[in-house]
Amino acid sequence: MNPPQSSSAGRREVRFEREPARRVFAAELREARHQFREGTEEKSPTYVLLPTGQRCNRVFVVGSMTEKQRQGEQNIFYRARIVDPTGTTFVTAGNYQPEAMQQISQIEPPAFVAVVGKPNVFEAPDGGGVYVSLRAESVTVVDRETRDLWVLDAAKATLDRIDAYGTTEDSRRAAGEYRIEPALFRKTVADALAQLNL
Amino acid sequence: MDLSIIAARISQKIQTRGKNVEQHEIEAKLRLLVDEFGVPPAEAERTVISELGREYQVQGLAGAVESDRHPIAELVPEEWVTVEGKVVSLSTPNSPSIAQTGIIADASGAIRFVVWAKAGAPHLEAGRWYRIESAVVDEFRKAPSLKVHSGTTITPLGTDEALLPTVTPVAGLKPGVSSVRVKMVQEWEARSDRILQTGLVGDETGTIKFTIWKEEGRDPLVPGTVYDIYYATVDEFNGRLSLVLNSGTILPDEEAVLEVGTGGQVYSGAVVHVGQGSGLVKRCPVEGCNRVLSRQNYCPIHEFQPQFRYDLRIKAVLDDGVSTKNILMQRETTESVCGIPLDEAVGIAENSPLGMDEVFLRVQSAVMGRYLDCQGREMDTTVLVTSAERRRFDPVALAALIDRAGGEA
């Protein structure tokens, strides 16, 4: 959450601005490595820095759930793969995300789903490299049209980030953290849109 | 009179407003008027000040030298003024250090006034005209008000001019005192026992929240009726305007028809959260209450209400990827967005083992993740949605994005 934006004077309560859910293609999200915390308090939000130069604390993805896996006996835990035109995004839900977990448990892949979740960067314990996943807040079955709308939305958001690259603080930070040329994602976007055109 | 002294005075006056004008430039202007055109120095001073005021966009400069009265509509804070106007309303002061508060109006407009107890001023009567000399204009919550202090002279005037207030369109309201012609649009539940009525009024240009505080002789407005409201108070709070009608004269015009403009905006995005309290709710049946009851049919004010009414609504978060908005949909919009009419929702709740939760789940799965274009108005922190549509896939948008992505690859 951002710092308090305004205080509603009547009740003197602090108003927090909800973190927007960024639209990110799987191909870009999987390249994210840099995670940081803003502020020093326990509840300070953490962000994943996208290679195109924007921090995100929440992500919105619509794609096909192609597979789900249930793990654990005492502590049930779900993993799901969400495929968009550019690749696969990994989604997880455990006991701390009961709503998302129950939703995933009822979904039979393959199905178009809309996922709202918090991105996390993990280092595989066996030295299997670094990967990014979304801890789901909610997973809902949607229709194909919603998926197509999301591809347009994610394409536009990605192009906006590429165009703003170098002009924002986050993108300058990304330039220091990543060696990927953000312009490469322009091709990702073009390919994703081409698939819709079929 | 030495023109350089006048020039120095004008220059100083402009400096106090944060603008700088060369003194010799001012003197040259004065000299031109006085020497070339035979204008009396006092009139030349006035002319130059008003000319500079326009040139440097400083308001209210001219007032300070005019010994005559100032139009009330043009009063600006931190100015000593003389006005002639009619006391159109008196209100009860909320502090012993204040003798009287009310509203004084002339043909140009109206302003709140405060008479300090220490001013020793004569008692003002509503409906009478007064000349108030050397009062001070200041600002309270962005609204100008006129302070009558011990240096102020008040003279009752014999006149009894008819005063026709100028009506301001709702979209053009500013903090202060204004007259409006509006239709009562909506009644809201009052959050305080001291409120007689609160809700929404509007005209063609938009809508605004109104409040009537409980007070003897005050009647609530009737929904759908058009009113001329003279000298209501426009307050600003947290950047939003609202009308307090207690200071005003409220005249219903039962014959009139007024088309109220939504003045709303379109908010687009995806639904990323559906809040608790969405779906089927039970409302308190007590007249004017309408609060949502607890699961046990308990109203926080009217206690247990087994004869509740069912209603449908959605409280959600709309997110466009850049910012988020809390949205609230009433029954009609909820029905059309979810495709579940109220009677069907009641049926589901009564027949499902999950009860009302089943309706929540269906509403949630109908709107979560969907792209909506919502028409509505932002109130407090929530957009009250008046209509909402599912966004449709647009091949033109796709073509434009393909162009954009391919443009500079």
Side-chain angles (χ1 to χ4, degrees):
Chain A
M1 308 236 161
N2 288 338
Q5 301 287 313
S6 62
S7 57
S8 101
R11 276 166 277 170
R12 281 255 155 259
E13 67 189 10
V14 179
R15 194 175 287 166
F16 285 96
E17 201 114 312
R18 182 186 163 100
E19 288 282 348
R22 306 295 182 184
R23 281 60 158 159
V24 189
F25 282 121
E28 182 179 1
L29 191 62
R30 100 180 143 221
E31 300 297 336
R33 291 290 174 273
H34 182 59
Q35 189 160 17
F36 62 99
R37 184 184 286 270
E38 191 80 341
T40 49
E41 284 163 47
E42 197 192 339
K43 294 224 169 167
S44 300
T46 62
Y47 296 92
V48 166
L49 187 65
L50 297 176
T52 49
Q54 188 171 53
R55 64 182 65 194
C56 54
N57 168 270
R58 184 176 273 126
V59 169
F60 178 55
V61 172
V62 184
S64 317
M65 185 190 285
T66 54
E67 200 183 312
K68 67 170 181 183
Q69 268 183 332
R70 196 183 119 154
Q71 291 177 336
E73 290 298 325
Q74 298 290 314
N75 296 306
I76 304 174
F77 183 84
Y78 271 99
R79 268 180 219 284
R81 296 169 68 99
I82 313 297
V83 176
D84 73 21
T86 72
T88 303
T89 296
F90 296 93
V91 169
T92 65
N95 276 331
Y96 290 104
Q97 297 81 40
E99 181 183 328
M101 201 171 71
Q102 286 161 25
Q103 287 169 323
I104 294 175
S105 74
Q106 292 179 326
I107 297 171
E108 272 318 308
F112 287 118
V113 291
V115 180
V116 179
K118 302 260 185 179
N120 270 299
V121 178
F122 292 99
E123 201 146 345
D126 51 2
V130 180
Y131 70 100
V132 186
S133 74
L134 293 183
R135 208 173 53 229
E137 293 177 322
S138 125
V139 181
T140 316
V141 174
V142 296
D143 53 7
R144 184 186 194 104
E145 188 172 28
T146 302
R147 198 285 306 259
D148 292 351
L149 286 169
W150 178 83
V151 173
L152 296 186
D153 197 14
K156 178 177 179 297
T158 308
L159 293 175
D160 286 348
R161 291 195 294 267
I162 295 169
D163 289 348
Y165 194 81
T167 67
T168 63
E169 195 195 321
D170 279 354
S171 62
R172 282 188 284 273
R173 193 167 180 169
E177 294 289 341
Y178 296 106
R179 271 180 293 173
I180 313 167
E181 192 60 42
L184 286 177
F185 292 110
R186 197 177 283 281
K187 173 116 177 36
T188 311
V189 170
D191 291 348
L193 293 170
Q195 289 193 43
L196 275 193
N197 218 8
L198 294 177
Chain B
M1 189 185 272
D2 190 348
L3 293 181
S4 67
I5 295 177
I6 300 179
R9 188 158 70 210
I10 297 175
S11 158
Q12 240 173 13
K13 198 166 282 170
I14 291 176
Q15 257 175 18
T16 61
R17 303 304 177 91
K19 306 277 161 116
N20 249 320
V21 186
E22 289 295 337
Q23 199 176 315
H24 63 82
E25 199 184 314
I26 300 172
E27 200 176 329
K29 284 179 196 286
L30 289 168
R31 210 158 284 289
L32 178 77
L33 289 165
V34 175
D35 294 346
E36 303 273 353
F37 294 95
V39 176
E43 180 59 19
E45 180 176 1
R46 202 201 62 79
T47 309
V48 170
I49 287 178
S50 77
E51 185 190 333
L52 292 171
R54 274 194 303 276
E55 192 177 332
Y56 289 89
Q57 302 187 338
V58 185
Q59 282 182 342
L61 268 182
V65 275
E66 265 185 6
S67 57
D68 206 12
R69 56 185 169 160
H70 307 79
I72 287 177
E74 288 168 24
L75 299 183
V76 290
E78 286 167 45
E79 199 177 280
W80 289 64
V81 297
T82 295
V83 299
E84 282 180 16
K86 184 181 182 178
V87 174
V88 294
S89 145
L90 287 172
S91 45
T92 319
N94 50 14
S95 156
S97 57
I98 296 173
Q100 271 189 301
T101 58
I103 291 170
I104 185 161
D106 66 9
S108 71
I111 190 169
R112 270 185 269 206
F113 68 83
V114 171
V115 182
W116 297 113
K118 281 199 258 176
H123 189 79
L124 304 180
E125 284 171 47
R128 288 203 62 181
W129 285 75
Y130 295 91
R131 177 181 170 89
I132 300 179
E133 276 173 88
S134 304
V136 178
V137 183
D138 72 1
E139 201 178 55
F140 181 65
R141 286 197 190 140
K142 298 206 179 158
S145 83
L146 191 68
K147 297 286 188 296
V148 173
H149 53 89
S150 52
T152 308
T153 320
I154 298 183
T155 334
L157 300 174
T159 49
D160 187 18
E161 283 175 53
L163 197 57
L164 197 66
T166 325
V167 167
T168 309
V170 167
L173 289 173
K174 289 198 292 273
V177 176
S178 287
S179 302
V180 292
R181 180 177 170 80
V182 288
K183 182 156 91 179
M184 155 77 167
V185 183
Q186 235 175 57
E187 177 152 5
W188 296 342
E189 65 185 51
R191 294 228 174 118
S192 155
D193 286 344
R194 294 168 50 224
I195 293 175
L196 174 68
Q197 191 183 36
T198 180
L200 209 60
V201 291
D203 64 11
E204 296 89 344
T205 66
T207 54
I208 185 169
K209 176 187 167 180
F210 76 92
T211 305
I212 306 176
W213 297 95
K214 278 186 186 161
E215 193 181 52
E216 209 160 299
R218 286 286 162 195
D219 293 320
L221 305 185
V222 179
T225 306
V226 175
Y227 293 89
D228 287 306
I229 299 170
Y230 297 146
Y231 308 120
T233 313
V234 186
D235 285 332
E236 195 204 61
F237 188 65
N238 276 350
R240 282 185 188 82
L241 296 177
S242 73
L243 273 180
V244 177
L245 305 190
N246 290 64
S247 64
T249 308
I250 303 173
L251 305 168
D253 186 348
E254 272 146 29
E255 306 293 298
V257 181
L258 190 64
E259 196 65 40
V260 174
T262 56
Q265 237 181 298
V266 176
Y267 299 86
S268 294
V271 176
V272 294
H273 177 75
V274 175
Q276 288 299 320
S278 295
L280 198 62
V281 292
K282 300 186 242 181
R283 291 195 182 275
C284 178
V286 173
E287 173 98 28
C289 176
N290 219 24
R291 282 179 180 77
V292 170
L293 303 179
S294 75
R295 280 178 174 266
Q296 290 76 33
N297 305 335
Y298 187 82
C299 168
I301 304 294
H302 304 102
E303 308 196 309
F304 289 101
Q305 294 291 334
Q307 298 301 111
F308 55 80
R309 303 188 286 106
Y310 277 119
D311 195 10
L312 267 177
R313 67 170 181 184
I314 297 177
K315 293 161 78 174
V317 178
L318 199 67
D319 181 324
D320 64 4
V322 178
S323 64
T324 66
K325 289 271 177 243
N326 295 320
I327 57 172
L328 176 63
M329 292 185 194
Q330 305 294 356
R331 176 183 154 189
E332 274 179 32
T333 323
T334 304
E335 288 179 330
S336 78
V337 166
C338 300
I340 308 172
L342 178 63
D343 49 5
E344 191 182 322
V346 172
I348 293 168
E350 281 169 357
N351 297 317
S352 161
L354 292 179
M356 297 194 353
D357 287 352
E358 177 67 27
V359 180
F360 173 84
L361 292 171
R362 292 216 194 173
V363 165
Q364 185 186 41
S365 66
V367 296
M368 260 305 284
R370 303 321 196 283
Y371 285 90
L372 298 180
D373 297 322
C374 299
Q375 180 93 34
R377 275 181 74 79
E378 198 168 351
M379 287 279 161
D380 256 348
T381 57
T382 301
V383 176
L384 302 178
V385 177
T386 47
S387 72
E389 266 180 59
R390 288 278 293 274
R391 193 186 300 171
R392 292 288 160 214
F393 185 79
D394 179 7
V396 176
L398 171 61
L401 280 167
I402 288 175
D403 264 7
R404 196 179 151 195
E408 313 157 38

